[in-house]
Amino acid sequence: QELERLGATAIGSMSAVLAVHLSLLMAGRWAFNKCMPRGRGMDTDTMLVASNACAGGAATAASMAESIKRPDLTIPAITVGLVGYVAGTRIGLVMYKFLLGVL
């Protein structure tokens, strides 16, 4: 019973976080599209795959692009995911050296 209650609480919390995240993504896409000339905005598929590349990395973004039948987004998703790995690794190493010196 305790495990069921905790599971339901976790699912409810994650659903709320995902709903807020999706709402912010959609609001950001709307604002971006308002600033761009007509026809130059971002579609929902591109926004979702880009968000996935930033949060999940190259493999999950490429899988998502393929699963929503957008093979044109697979290579950009992999590229953005790999750039994120490179930047994240570099930032992590710099933070490690910084914290090593501070602590």
Side-chain angles (χ1 to χ4, degrees):
Q1 284 237 332
E2 180 69 19
L3 190 56
E4 288 177 6
R5 188 182 62 75
L6 289 174
T9 303
I11 289 173
S13 298
M14 287 196 297
S15 297
V17 168
L18 287 174
V20 169
H21 179 73
L22 183 60
S23 299
L24 290 173
L25 283 177
M26 295 304 283
R29 183 181 75 88
W30 176 82
F32 177 79
N33 287 344
K34 281 292 195 184
C35 296
M36 297 300 289
R38 204 160 205 44
R40 301 283 298 170
M42 183 186 310
D43 64 340
T44 303
D45 291 345
T46 303
M47 180 220 27
L48 291 173
V49 172
S51 173
N52 193 325
C54 291
T60 59
S63 298
M64 182 177 189
E66 291 293 324
S67 72
I68 62 173
K69 310 263 190 292
R70 289 290 306 268
D72 58 309
L73 296 177
T74 303
I75 299 299
I78 292 170
T79 304
V80 169
L82 291 176
V83 168
Y85 290 156
V86 170
T89 301
R90 182 69 181 152
I91 291 169
L93 289 172
V94 168
M95 287 297 297
Y96 170 76
K97 287 182 181 180
F98 171 75
L99 291 173
L100 197 61
V102 170
L103 300 178

XYZ file of all heavy atoms in Angstrom:
741
model
N 0.814 -1.201 0.000
C 0.000 0.000 0.000
C 0.858 1.266 0.000
O 0.567 2.181 -0.723
C -0.907 -0.021 1.225
C -2.069 -0.953 1.096
C -3.361 -0.201 1.294
O -3.367 0.792 1.986
N -4.409 -0.669 0.665
N 1.887 1.262 0.805
C 2.772 2.431 0.864
C 3.445 2.660 -0.487
O 3.566 3.797 -0.948
C 3.826 2.223 1.965
C 4.801 3.367 2.130
C 4.154 4.630 2.694
O 3.060 4.542 3.284
O 4.746 5.704 2.524
N 3.885 1.553 -1.116
C 4.543 1.651 -2.414
C 3.576 2.174 -3.482
O 3.958 2.992 -4.323
C 5.100 0.285 -2.815
C 6.023 0.238 -4.014
C 7.199 1.178 -3.800
C 6.513 -1.173 -4.243
N 2.334 1.732 -3.441
C 1.330 2.218 -4.388
C 1.086 3.710 -4.202
O 0.954 4.454 -5.177
C 0.023 1.450 -4.214
C 0.074 0.023 -4.710
C -1.215 -0.719 -4.444
O -2.196 -0.099 -3.970
O -1.234 -1.938 -4.693
N 1.022 4.155 -2.971
C 0.798 5.576 -2.702
C 1.970 6.414 -3.192
O 1.794 7.458 -3.811
C 0.583 5.807 -1.201
C 0.154 7.229 -0.857
C 0.004 7.437 0.637
N 1.238 7.247 1.375
C 2.259 8.114 1.405
N 2.194 9.226 0.719
N 3.347 7.872 2.113
N 3.188 5.935 -2.928
C 4.368 6.665 -3.387
C 4.444 6.693 -4.905
O 4.830 7.699 -5.507
C 5.641 6.039 -2.811
C 5.862 6.242 -1.317
C 7.081 5.455 -0.849
C 6.026 7.712 -0.999
N 4.075 5.573 -5.542
C 4.079 5.521 -7.008
C 3.091 6.501 -7.607
O 3.397 7.202 -8.572
N 1.898 6.557 -7.029
C 0.890 7.490 -7.522
C 1.340 8.935 -7.327
O 1.131 9.788 -8.204
C -0.437 7.241 -6.815
N 1.967 9.214 -6.199
C 2.487 10.560 -5.943
C 3.575 10.926 -6.946
O 3.596 12.045 -7.476
C 3.040 10.662 -4.507
O 2.009 10.320 -3.592
C 3.549 12.051 -4.210
N 4.478 9.986 -7.216
C 5.560 10.237 -8.172
C 5.011 10.484 -9.570
O 5.446 11.404 -10.273
C 6.539 9.067 -8.175
N 4.046 9.680 -9.995
C 3.453 9.860 -11.321
C 2.735 11.204 -11.407
O 2.849 11.913 -12.403
C 2.510 8.688 -11.650
C 3.329 7.423 -11.901
C 1.634 9.006 -12.862
C 2.516 6.175 -12.067
N 2.024 11.571 -10.365
C 1.343 12.863 -10.349
C 2.313 14.025 -10.419
O 2.097 14.988 -11.162
N 3.393 13.930 -9.669
C 4.406 14.996 -9.678
C 5.081 15.116 -11.032
O 5.259 16.216 -11.561
C 5.459 14.737 -8.609
O 4.874 14.737 -7.330
N 5.463 13.976 -11.602
C 6.122 14.010 -12.912
C 5.181 14.518 -13.996
O 5.604 15.243 -14.901
C 6.681 12.641 -13.275
C 7.909 12.291 -12.452
S 8.888 10.936 -13.079
C 7.794 9.564 -12.984
N 3.910 14.160 -13.905
C 2.936 14.651 -14.885
C 2.805 16.170 -14.797
O 2.733 16.846 -15.829
C 1.578 13.995 -14.648
O 1.658 12.608 -14.848
N 2.792 16.698 -13.599
C 2.702 18.152 -13.426
C 3.943 18.846 -13.990
O 3.830 19.860 -14.685
C 2.530 18.492 -11.951
N 5.119 18.301 -13.714
C 6.368 18.895 -14.225
C 6.380 18.854 -15.748
O 6.744 19.839 -16.406
C 7.597 18.172 -13.635
C 8.860 18.554 -14.356
C 7.717 18.472 -12.151
N 5.989 17.728 -16.333
C 5.967 17.621 -17.792
C 4.939 18.562 -18.413
O 5.184 19.135 -19.478
C 5.696 16.178 -18.212
C 6.859 15.222 -17.999
C 6.437 13.786 -18.312
C 8.054 15.604 -18.851
N 3.801 18.733 -17.750
C 2.790 19.656 -18.267
C 3.305 21.095 -18.261
O 3.108 21.840 -19.234
C 1.509 19.544 -17.440
N 3.994 21.482 -17.198
C 4.576 22.826 -17.134
C 5.661 22.985 -18.198
O 5.722 24.001 -18.901
C 5.132 23.119 -15.720
C 5.970 24.381 -15.703
C 3.997 23.217 -14.716
N 6.504 21.964 -18.346
C 7.576 22.011 -19.349
C 6.983 22.170 -20.746
O 7.433 23.018 -21.532
C 8.424 20.740 -19.260
C 9.531 20.676 -20.255
N 10.664 21.446 -20.156
C 9.686 19.933 -21.377
C 11.466 21.181 -21.172
N 10.890 20.267 -21.921
N 5.989 21.367 -21.077
C 5.368 21.455 -22.400
C 4.702 22.811 -22.598
O 4.790 23.398 -23.679
C 4.358 20.322 -22.585
C 3.683 20.258 -23.950
C 4.718 20.059 -25.055
C 2.652 19.155 -23.982
N 4.069 23.336 -21.569
C 3.431 24.658 -21.674
C 4.464 25.744 -21.946
O 4.243 26.627 -22.792
C 2.675 24.993 -20.386
O 1.664 24.059 -20.149
N 5.599 25.674 -21.252
C 6.661 26.661 -21.478
C 7.260 26.519 -22.874
O 7.575 27.525 -23.531
C 7.744 26.533 -20.412
C 7.336 26.977 -19.013
C 8.426 26.645 -18.002
C 7.021 28.468 -18.996
N 7.419 25.288 -23.334
C 7.931 25.076 -24.695
C 6.982 25.671 -25.728
O 7.415 26.346 -26.671
C 8.117 23.592 -24.973
C 9.330 22.912 -24.380
C 9.302 21.420 -24.690
C 10.606 23.524 -24.900
N 5.695 25.402 -25.566
C 4.718 25.907 -26.530
C 4.651 27.433 -26.488
O 4.541 28.086 -27.528
C 3.346 25.292 -26.267
C 3.300 23.789 -26.491
S 3.833 23.274 -28.123
C 2.409 23.699 -29.078
N 4.732 28.025 -25.299
C 4.724 29.489 -25.191
C 5.980 30.082 -25.821
O 5.919 31.101 -26.519
C 4.621 29.905 -23.724
N 7.120 29.436 -25.609
C 8.362 29.891 -26.227
C 8.318 29.792 -27.739
O 8.781 30.685 -28.458
N 7.750 28.698 -28.247
C 7.619 28.537 -29.700
C 6.699 29.607 -30.266
O 6.971 30.195 -31.310
C 7.086 27.148 -30.036
C 7.002 26.887 -31.535
C 6.450 25.518 -31.840
N 5.026 25.429 -31.624
C 4.106 25.728 -32.545
N 4.474 26.155 -33.724
N 2.834 25.610 -32.277
N 5.602 29.883 -29.565
C 4.674 30.913 -30.018
C 5.376 32.275 -30.090
O 5.258 32.993 -31.082
C 3.469 30.978 -29.081
C 2.512 32.073 -29.431
C 1.538 32.031 -30.383
C 2.467 33.372 -28.860
N 0.879 33.231 -30.427
C 1.425 34.078 -29.509
C 3.192 34.016 -27.859
C 1.113 35.388 -29.184
C 2.880 35.318 -27.543
C 1.848 35.988 -28.198
N 6.131 32.607 -29.033
C 6.837 33.893 -29.005
C 7.900 33.955 -30.104
O 8.055 34.976 -30.772
C 7.465 34.112 -27.628
N 8.624 32.858 -30.289
C 9.643 32.804 -31.343
C 9.002 33.009 -32.710
O 9.503 33.774 -33.531
C 10.377 31.457 -31.286
C 11.394 31.272 -32.368
C 12.639 31.865 -32.283
C 11.104 30.481 -33.476
C 13.584 31.689 -33.279
C 12.036 30.300 -34.470
C 13.279 30.907 -34.378
N 7.900 32.312 -32.957
C 7.236 32.422 -34.254
C 6.661 33.811 -34.489
O 6.588 34.266 -35.625
C 6.139 31.358 -34.387
C 6.725 29.983 -34.596
O 7.893 29.823 -34.929
N 5.923 28.967 -34.380
N 6.256 34.503 -33.414
C 5.757 35.870 -33.552
C 6.864 36.825 -34.004
O 6.607 37.795 -34.710
C 5.174 36.368 -32.233
C 3.796 35.869 -31.947
C 2.842 36.475 -32.935
C 1.427 36.279 -32.456
N 0.479 36.773 -33.439
N 8.108 36.537 -33.580
C 9.238 37.412 -33.918
C 9.804 37.137 -35.315
O 10.519 37.967 -35.857
C 10.359 37.237 -32.889
S 9.902 37.758 -31.239
N 9.495 35.981 -35.872
C 10.054 35.590 -37.164
C 9.121 36.025 -38.298
O 7.912 36.127 -38.118
C 10.239 34.069 -37.234
C 11.228 33.530 -36.228
S 12.879 34.199 -36.425
C 13.382 33.425 -37.917
N 9.714 36.260 -39.483
C 8.860 36.558 -40.639
C 7.962 35.357 -40.959
O 8.287 34.220 -40.636
C 9.854 36.795 -41.777
C 11.173 36.975 -41.140
C 11.125 36.329 -39.799
N 6.861 35.619 -41.610
C 5.906 34.559 -41.946
C 6.594 33.440 -42.738
O 7.343 33.681 -43.661
C 4.784 35.141 -42.780
C 3.516 34.344 -42.696
C 2.373 35.236 -43.133
N 1.045 35.007 -42.710
C 0.588 34.697 -41.527
N 1.393 34.474 -40.556
N -0.688 34.584 -41.276
N 6.351 32.221 -42.317
C 6.930 31.070 -43.007
C 8.307 30.664 -42.505
O 8.871 29.672 -42.971
N 8.889 31.414 -41.588
C 10.238 31.117 -41.098
C 10.218 30.626 -39.652
O 11.261 30.514 -39.026
C 11.123 32.364 -41.188
C 11.288 32.939 -42.561
C 12.232 32.184 -43.408
N 13.544 32.224 -42.795
C 14.566 31.492 -43.199
N 14.422 30.684 -44.186
N 15.712 31.574 -42.594
N 9.051 30.354 -39.108
C 8.931 29.933 -37.719
C 9.323 28.474 -37.519
O 9.808 27.799 -38.428
N 9.107 27.985 -36.330
C 9.464 26.624 -35.963
C 8.190 25.816 -35.759
O 7.270 26.258 -35.092
C 10.277 26.640 -34.655
C 10.754 25.286 -34.220
S 11.560 25.271 -32.601
C 12.722 26.588 -32.725
N 8.163 24.614 -36.352
C 6.996 23.764 -36.150
C 7.127 22.984 -34.842
O 8.188 22.937 -34.234
C 6.780 22.827 -37.339
C 7.915 21.843 -37.534
O 9.017 22.094 -37.025
O 7.687 20.807 -38.185
N 6.043 22.375 -34.425
C 6.008 21.682 -33.137
C 6.961 20.491 -33.102
O 7.634 20.264 -32.097
C 4.574 21.218 -32.828
O 3.719 22.355 -32.862
C 4.479 20.580 -31.462
N 7.047 19.736 -34.196
C 7.949 18.585 -34.235
C 9.397 19.000 -34.003
O 10.120 18.383 -33.221
C 7.844 17.851 -35.574
C 6.522 17.138 -35.764
O 5.792 16.971 -34.766
O 6.235 16.743 -36.906
N 9.815 20.050 -34.676
C 11.192 20.531 -34.522
C 11.458 20.965 -33.088
O 12.505 20.648 -32.519
C 11.454 21.704 -35.485
O 11.189 21.268 -36.819
C 12.882 22.200 -35.385
N 10.501 21.668 -32.503
C 10.657 22.131 -31.127
C 10.785 20.954 -30.161
O 11.636 20.956 -29.278
C 9.478 23.010 -30.735
C 9.585 23.528 -29.327
S 8.075 23.567 -28.352
C 7.011 22.349 -28.953
N 9.946 19.936 -30.339
C 9.982 18.796 -29.434
C 11.273 17.985 -29.577
O 11.856 17.551 -28.586
C 8.762 17.901 -29.669
C 7.431 18.503 -29.241
C 6.286 17.600 -29.667
C 7.397 18.749 -27.747
N 11.739 17.797 -30.809
C 12.988 17.058 -31.020
C 14.172 17.850 -30.477
O 15.088 17.283 -29.861
C 13.174 16.699 -32.509
C 14.550 16.119 -32.769
C 12.104 15.713 -32.954
N 14.171 19.172 -30.661
C 15.254 20.001 -30.116
C 15.274 19.940 -28.591
O 16.344 19.833 -27.980
C 15.091 21.439 -30.589
N 14.112 19.996 -27.985
C 14.038 19.893 -26.526
C 14.548 18.540 -26.057
O 15.282 18.447 -25.071
C 12.598 20.103 -26.065
O 12.488 19.860 -24.687
N 14.190 17.495 -26.779
C 14.652 16.153 -26.439
C 16.165 16.053 -26.582
O 16.829 15.427 -25.750
C 13.955 15.133 -27.333
C 14.124 13.720 -26.857
O 15.158 13.353 -26.334
N 13.111 12.915 -27.050
N 16.732 16.672 -27.623
C 18.182 16.636 -27.814
C 18.899 17.332 -26.660
O 19.944 16.866 -26.198
C 18.565 17.292 -29.140
N 18.326 18.428 -26.192
C 18.947 19.152 -25.078
C 18.839 18.387 -23.768
O 19.762 18.390 -22.970
C 18.301 20.527 -24.929
S 18.678 21.637 -26.287
N 17.727 17.748 -23.539
C 17.509 17.063 -22.263
C 18.002 15.627 -22.263
O 18.598 15.172 -21.292
C 16.025 17.098 -21.916
N 17.780 14.906 -23.351
C 18.079 13.476 -23.361
C 19.321 13.083 -24.118
O 19.839 11.990 -23.931
N 19.787 13.934 -25.011
C 20.984 13.619 -25.766
C 20.680 13.142 -27.180
O 19.533 13.109 -27.623
N 21.743 12.770 -27.864
C 21.655 12.437 -29.282
C 20.808 11.209 -29.552
O 19.991 11.193 -30.475
C 23.067 12.239 -29.840
N 20.977 10.167 -28.773
C 20.289 8.904 -29.055
C 18.778 9.029 -28.902
O 18.018 8.582 -29.766
C 20.819 7.814 -28.135
N 18.318 9.648 -27.815
C 16.869 9.763 -27.614
C 16.247 10.724 -28.613
O 15.126 10.493 -29.079
C 16.536 10.226 -26.181
O 17.145 11.498 -25.946
C 17.005 9.226 -25.158
N 16.964 11.790 -28.979
C 16.419 12.740 -29.946
C 16.310 12.107 -31.328
O 15.313 12.302 -32.033
C 17.285 13.992 -29.995
N 17.315 11.341 -31.720
C 17.253 10.666 -33.014
C 16.124 9.643 -33.034
O 15.393 9.529 -34.021
C 18.591 9.992 -33.314
N 15.958 8.918 -31.950
C 14.867 7.945 -31.865
C 13.514 8.638 -31.944
O 12.590 8.144 -32.602
C 14.954 7.157 -30.560
O 16.143 6.431 -30.506
N 13.403 9.782 -31.284
C 12.137 10.508 -31.323
C 11.852 11.024 -32.728
O 10.710 10.948 -33.204
C 12.152 11.671 -30.345
C 10.858 12.433 -30.310
S 10.922 13.733 -29.090
C 9.226 14.235 -29.083
N 12.878 11.561 -33.397
C 12.689 12.065 -34.759
C 12.209 10.949 -35.686
O 11.315 11.159 -36.517
C 13.987 12.669 -35.284
N 12.770 9.772 -35.541
C 12.340 8.641 -36.358
C 10.938 8.179 -35.984
O 10.148 7.811 -36.842
C 13.328 7.480 -36.229
C 14.682 7.746 -36.860
C 14.621 7.870 -38.370
O 13.823 7.165 -39.019
O 15.379 8.690 -38.918
N 10.620 8.192 -34.692
C 9.315 7.685 -34.256
C 8.164 8.606 -34.671
O 7.039 8.135 -34.840
C 9.297 7.464 -32.750
O 9.278 8.694 -32.064
N 8.434 9.900 -34.827
C 7.370 10.805 -35.280
C 7.413 10.976 -36.801
O 6.801 11.882 -37.343
C 7.426 12.173 -34.565
C 8.736 12.905 -34.849
C 7.182 12.037 -33.090
C 8.780 14.323 -34.310
N 8.161 10.089 -37.462
C 8.234 10.053 -38.927
C 8.780 11.355 -39.507
O 8.250 11.896 -40.481
C 6.861 9.746 -39.530
C 6.155 8.559 -38.933
C 6.357 7.332 -39.746
C 5.488 6.179 -39.315
N 5.791 5.607 -38.032
N 9.858 11.866 -38.878
C 10.544 13.064 -39.381
C 12.030 12.758 -39.554
O 12.876 13.232 -38.787
C 10.365 14.230 -38.411
C 8.989 14.840 -38.334
C 8.597 15.611 -39.592
N 9.547 16.643 -39.985
C 9.469 17.913 -39.605
N 8.480 18.314 -38.838
N 10.365 18.783 -40.008
N 12.385 11.945 -40.557
C 13.793 11.603 -40.752
C 14.664 12.813 -41.083
O 15.881 12.773 -40.887
C 13.766 10.600 -41.914
C 12.469 10.807 -42.600
C 11.520 11.321 -41.552
N 14.055 13.907 -41.548
C 14.825 15.115 -41.831
C 15.375 15.757 -40.561
O 16.306 16.562 -40.623
C 13.971 16.126 -42.593
C 12.703 16.512 -41.835
O 11.977 15.593 -41.399
O 12.443 17.720 -41.695
N 14.835 15.387 -39.402
C 15.307 15.945 -38.133
C 16.327 15.048 -37.423
O 16.876 15.436 -36.398
C 14.126 16.198 -37.193
C 13.105 17.243 -37.641
C 11.958 17.316 -36.648
C 13.760 18.593 -37.807
N 16.591 13.866 -37.981
C 17.473 12.917 -37.298
C 18.906 13.437 -37.204
O 19.496 13.450 -36.120
C 17.442 11.550 -38.003
O 16.097 11.091 -38.039
C 18.294 10.536 -37.274
N 19.481 13.863 -38.315
C 20.870 14.354 -38.304
C 21.011 15.619 -37.455
O 21.935 15.708 -36.635
C 21.391 14.579 -39.743
C 21.384 13.258 -40.525
C 22.789 15.191 -39.736
C 22.250 12.170 -39.939
N 20.125 16.615 -37.594
C 20.230 17.773 -36.686
C 20.097 17.390 -35.215
O 20.775 17.953 -34.359
C 19.091 18.691 -37.122
C 18.814 18.314 -38.529
C 19.107 16.852 -38.624
N 19.221 16.428 -34.914
C 19.052 16.001 -33.521
C 20.330 15.377 -32.985
O 20.756 15.655 -31.857
C 17.890 15.009 -33.410
N 20.965 14.538 -33.801
C 22.222 13.914 -33.386
C 23.298 14.977 -33.200
O 24.052 14.953 -32.221
C 22.660 12.845 -34.409
C 21.689 11.663 -34.367
C 24.083 12.380 -34.147
C 21.892 10.664 -35.486
N 23.346 15.930 -34.126
C 24.365 16.989 -34.048
C 24.193 17.823 -32.781
O 25.162 18.069 -32.048
C 24.279 17.891 -35.294
O 24.421 17.085 -36.455
C 25.358 18.957 -35.266
N 22.974 18.250 -32.508
C 22.731 19.060 -31.309
C 23.029 18.251 -30.047
O 23.625 18.756 -29.094
C 21.278 19.595 -31.303
C 20.909 20.197 -29.962
C 21.095 20.612 -32.405
N 22.641 16.986 -30.045
C 22.932 16.130 -28.890
C 24.423 15.967 -28.655
O 24.893 16.023 -27.515
N 25.190 15.783 -29.730
C 26.645 15.628 -29.586
C 27.312 16.925 -29.130
O 28.235 16.899 -28.311
C 27.261 15.152 -30.901
C 26.913 13.715 -31.295
C 27.501 13.384 -32.665
C 27.396 12.723 -30.259
N 26.840 18.047 -29.655
C 27.381 19.336 -29.198
C 27.087 19.511 -27.709
O 27.929 19.997 -26.950
C 26.796 20.505 -30.031
C 27.100 21.848 -29.401
C 27.339 20.446 -31.448
N 25.916 19.080 -27.288
C 25.586 19.134 -25.865
C 26.503 18.262 -25.024
O 26.916 18.655 -23.932
N 26.825 17.053 -25.527
C 27.764 16.187 -24.809
C 29.123 16.868 -24.672
O 29.734 16.865 -23.603
C 27.963 14.862 -25.546
C 26.786 13.927 -25.541
C 26.654 12.974 -26.542
C 25.815 13.964 -24.548
C 25.584 12.093 -26.556
C 24.750 13.097 -24.555
C 24.640 12.148 -25.565
O 23.594 11.282 -25.577
N 29.604 17.456 -25.764
C 30.924 18.108 -25.748
C 30.928 19.288 -24.779
O 31.830 19.418 -23.939
C 31.321 18.563 -27.167
C 32.550 19.451 -27.143
C 31.564 17.351 -28.059
N 29.917 20.139 -24.886
C 29.855 21.311 -24.007
C 29.663 20.890 -22.555
O 30.320 21.427 -21.655
C 28.714 22.233 -24.443
N 28.798 19.922 -22.325
C 28.551 19.468 -20.957
C 29.767 18.840 -20.316
O 30.050 19.053 -19.133
N 30.514 18.061 -21.094
C 31.732 17.443 -20.576
C 32.758 18.512 -20.220
O 33.372 18.477 -19.147
C 32.324 16.469 -21.606
O 31.353 15.459 -21.891
C 33.593 15.831 -21.090
N 32.930 19.475 -21.105
C 33.899 20.549 -20.858
C 33.505 21.363 -19.619
O 34.352 21.656 -18.760
C 33.987 21.457 -22.084
C 34.969 22.561 -21.956
C 36.373 22.046 -21.952
N 37.285 23.164 -21.799
C 38.466 23.069 -21.239
N 38.896 21.913 -20.815
N 39.234 24.114 -21.123
N 32.250 21.731 -19.537
C 31.778 22.507 -18.379
C 31.926 21.693 -17.098
O 32.330 22.224 -16.053
C 30.320 22.969 -18.589
C 30.273 24.009 -19.702
C 29.717 23.519 -17.308
C 28.883 24.336 -20.185
N 31.629 20.400 -17.169
C 31.782 19.532 -16.002
C 33.223 19.452 -15.532
O 33.497 19.475 -14.319
N 34.163 19.358 -16.468
C 35.577 19.294 -16.086
C 36.049 20.607 -15.470
O 36.811 20.609 -14.498
C 36.439 18.939 -17.300
C 36.298 17.499 -17.803
C 37.043 17.329 -19.128
C 36.795 16.508 -16.770
N 35.608 21.716 -16.026
C 35.972 23.025 -15.471
C 35.399 23.167 -14.061
O 36.091 23.623 -13.137
C 35.488 24.166 -16.397
C 35.582 25.510 -15.714
C 36.281 24.165 -17.689
N 34.144 22.765 -13.879
C 33.532 22.839 -12.552
C 34.265 21.939 -11.552
O 34.464 22.311 -10.395
C 32.057 22.439 -12.609
C 31.174 23.477 -13.242
S 31.133 25.022 -12.337
C 30.425 24.516 -10.801
N 34.686 20.755 -11.997
C 35.422 19.840 -11.133
C 36.722 20.484 -10.660
O 37.032 20.466 -9.465
C 35.717 18.532 -11.878
C 36.670 17.640 -11.144
C 36.248 16.910 -10.046
C 37.990 17.520 -11.561
C 37.123 16.077 -9.361
C 38.868 16.704 -10.885
C 38.434 15.977 -9.789
O 39.317 15.162 -9.116
N 37.467 21.079 -11.601
C 38.733 21.717 -11.221
C 38.488 22.897 -10.288
O 39.225 23.113 -9.348
C 39.486 22.155 -12.477
C 40.081 20.993 -13.224
C 40.865 21.464 -14.428
C 41.441 20.269 -15.170
N 42.211 20.680 -16.329
N 37.435 23.657 -10.562
C 37.099 24.796 -9.720
C 36.748 24.334 -8.308
O 37.262 24.867 -7.318
C 35.941 25.595 -10.331
C 35.390 26.651 -9.427
C 36.102 27.842 -9.230
C 34.196 26.478 -8.762
C 35.615 28.824 -8.395
C 33.703 27.455 -7.922
C 34.408 28.632 -7.732
N 35.869 23.344 -8.214
C 35.446 22.869 -6.901
C 36.580 22.172 -6.147
O 36.638 22.220 -4.925
C 34.238 21.946 -7.035
C 32.948 22.622 -7.465
C 31.867 21.590 -7.730
C 32.497 23.638 -6.449
N 37.461 21.533 -6.882
C 38.613 20.892 -6.254
C 39.505 21.928 -5.585
O 40.027 21.731 -4.487
C 39.393 20.100 -7.302
C 40.375 19.065 -6.791
C 39.666 17.989 -5.980
C 41.091 18.425 -7.964
N 39.652 23.081 -6.250
C 40.454 24.161 -5.685
C 39.760 24.866 -4.534
O 40.408 25.370 -3.617
N 38.439 24.929 -4.560
C 37.685 25.629 -3.528
C 37.572 24.783 -2.268
O 37.670 25.271 -1.151
C 36.275 26.010 -4.047
C 35.397 26.511 -2.924
C 36.384 27.047 -5.139
N 37.340 23.485 -2.449
C 37.107 22.620 -1.285
C 38.365 22.133 -0.699
O 39.292 21.811 -0.716
C 36.206 21.452 -1.677
C 34.835 21.870 -2.202
C 34.050 20.627 -2.603
C 34.065 22.602 -1.124
